[in-house]
């Protein structure tokens, strides 16, 4: 049996102790992790010491792995792992330094978005007092839906949202700090990902719960609405969905394996550390078992 610790009053986030992935996770233990994950949307397994193979194998128990589309950021020898890092080695960034800087759900721009992502903390930046920096914030899209008034629930029901990889890349080109090579790869990927339409109110494929499905910079329009009204509505909805009462803030420790649900949660990485204060994370991205999107790209 695993030991559980619920986090404060946040509507999502749960800590499970007693799971040692490197030593092996029984089917019974895994079922408990997966059930807890479906219930809480974000789960952290502390004190892990895992190799890339163990990270990938454990991730695959949730579903098939997705490959990240920017080759420069894949872990050499382990393309299932996308490296999130500000470390530069031999003049070359080992990972993406500016991943997750707006509230988003991973890969919301494909027709069957992924079930979850598993981010493993290898190096965590710290301040002078030794406190961790570079937290990740999670907003419960499920709690945000539940808290809508009956009138708002009626208003949002049936709304369709355009999600656009291409628009987001254009926006990122203006300020992104990623390498020129990665920018070129991103531009090439634009053709691979035509805009997709998702319902604003998305029913969770496993739990059946209703969630609000919007990502900043990627969800670009409410279909059929005038652009100004649509922009204003998206901005206001995102501000609502990320109000403090719906948010869990994860403070990283080395060895954390953080698993988030890409339907019941959106997330945001906080860039509050200097370029020479190293952060190194490994991410796998996992599809639903029946997904048709396998072999595409994560963001
Ligand atoms: C991501 O959005 O995948 C990155 C999150 C983080 O680095 O905290």
């Amino acid at each position: 049996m695993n030991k559980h610790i619920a986090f404060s009053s946040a509507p999502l986030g749960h800590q499970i102790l007693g799971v040692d992935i490197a030593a092996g996770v029984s089917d019974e233990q895994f079922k408990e992790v997966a059930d807890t994950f479906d219930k809480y949307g974000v789960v952290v397994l502390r004190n892990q010491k895992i190799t890339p193979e163990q990270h990938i194998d454990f991730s695959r128990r949730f579903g098939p792995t997705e490959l990240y589309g920017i080759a420069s950021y894949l872990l050499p020898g382990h393309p299932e792992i996308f490296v999130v890092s500000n470390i530069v080695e031999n003049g070359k960034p080992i990972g993406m330094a500016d991943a997750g800087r707006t509230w988003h759900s991973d890969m919301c721009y494909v027709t069957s978005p992924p079930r979850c992502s598993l981010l493993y903390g290898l190096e965590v930046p710290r301040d002078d007092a030794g406190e961790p920096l570079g937290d990740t914030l999670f907003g419960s899209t499920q709690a945000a839906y539940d808290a809508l008034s009956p009138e708002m629930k009626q208003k949002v029901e049936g709304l369709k949202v355009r999600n656009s990889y291409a628009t987001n890349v254009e926006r990122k080109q203006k300020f992104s700090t990623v390498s020129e090579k990665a920018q070129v790869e991103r531009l090439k990927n634009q053709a691979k990902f035509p805009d997709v339409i998702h319902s604003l109110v998305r029913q969770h494929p496993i739990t059946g719960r209703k969630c609000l499905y919007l990502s900043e910079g990627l969800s670009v329009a409410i279909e059929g609405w005038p652009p100004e009204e649509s922009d204003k509505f998206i901005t206001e909805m995102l501000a609502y969905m990320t109000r403090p009462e719906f948010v869990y803030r994860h403070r990283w420790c080395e060895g954390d394996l953080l698993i988030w649900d890409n339907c019941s949660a959106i997330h945001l990485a906080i860039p509050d550390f200097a370029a020479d204060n190293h952060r190194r994370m490994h991410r796998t991205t996992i599809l639903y078992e029946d997904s048709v999107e396998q072999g595409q790209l994560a963001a």
Side-chain angles (χ1 to χ4, degrees), residues 82 84 99-102 104 106 117 119 134-138 252 258 260 267-270 279 281 283 299:
F82 160 45
V84 177
R101 299 283 169 87
T102 54
H104 70 287
D106 295 333
S117 306
L119 191 65
D135 296 354
T136 309
L137 269 55
F138 293 90
W252 284 92
L258 192 65
W260 63 80
H267 59 282
L268 170 74
I270 303 294
R279 188 176 193 263
M281 311 258 156
R283 190 183 100 185

Side-chain angles (χ1 to χ4, degrees), residues 91-110:
K92 194 173 157 268
I94 65 162
M96 186 187 278
D98 66 353
R101 299 283 169 87
T102 54
W103 281 104
H104 70 287
S105 171
D106 295 333
M107 288 176 73
C108 63
Y109 50 80
V110 296

